[in-house]
Amino acid sequence: MLVVITYDVSTTSEGGKKRLRKVAKTCQKYGIRVQNSVFECIVDSTKLKQLKYELNAVINEKEDSLRVYRLGDNYKGKVEHIGTKEVVNMEEVIII
């Protein structure tokens, strides 16, 4: 299923900047960055639980915000891209 992860981490303290880097790094393990604080991830329910567990361990719930949008398996008609950033098909093999 496609899951969109968005976050807003308070960076007013040094700890916040560190959390911001850790949240981004955790999201990169599961998906691709499509905006500064937005990731698209193709995951099953087990990986989603693991991702949420890892993110919950990083964020400070009193200062940070995390949103998870589940678009499901039939997401292709639900996502529209307008603008300059290249669209990556996450279901194809990516060679780096």
Side-chain angles (χ1 to χ4, degrees):
M1 80 178 103
L2 176 65
V3 175
V4 176
I5 306 287
T6 67
Y7 54 87
D8 185 13
V9 176
S10 174
T11 57
T12 56
S13 67
E14 189 59 37
K17 293 174 186 173
K18 192 173 183 178
R19 288 194 313 275
L20 178 63
R21 286 190 297 271
K22 283 185 176 180
V23 168
K25 198 170 188 174
T26 300
C27 289
Q28 285 175 326
K29 290 185 343 189
Y30 293 90
I32 61 169
R33 185 189 298 257
V34 293
Q35 295 285 323
N36 284 342
S37 298
V38 181
F39 281 80
E40 291 180 349
C41 308
I42 301 285
V43 292
D44 59 23
S45 59
T46 303
K47 283 189 175 180
L48 178 57
K49 279 184 182 177
Q50 186 175 351
L51 171 59
K52 287 169 55 180
Y53 177 79
E54 290 181 34
L55 290 173
N56 279 328
V58 173
I59 67 165
N60 179 338
E61 290 185 19
K62 293 180 181 173
E63 297 182 23
D64 308 329
S65 174
L66 179 69
R67 288 181 169 256
V68 178
Y69 299 92
R70 297 174 199 199
L71 297 180
D73 292 325
N74 298 319
Y75 61 87
K76 290 183 180 169
K78 299 176 183 173
V79 178
E80 182 177 353
H81 174 82
I82 300 170
T84 59
K85 198 164 186 177
E86 182 180 340
V87 177
V88 177
N89 184 346
M90 296 186 309
E91 294 181 314
E92 292 182 357
V93 175
I94 298 174
I95 300 172
I96 299 175

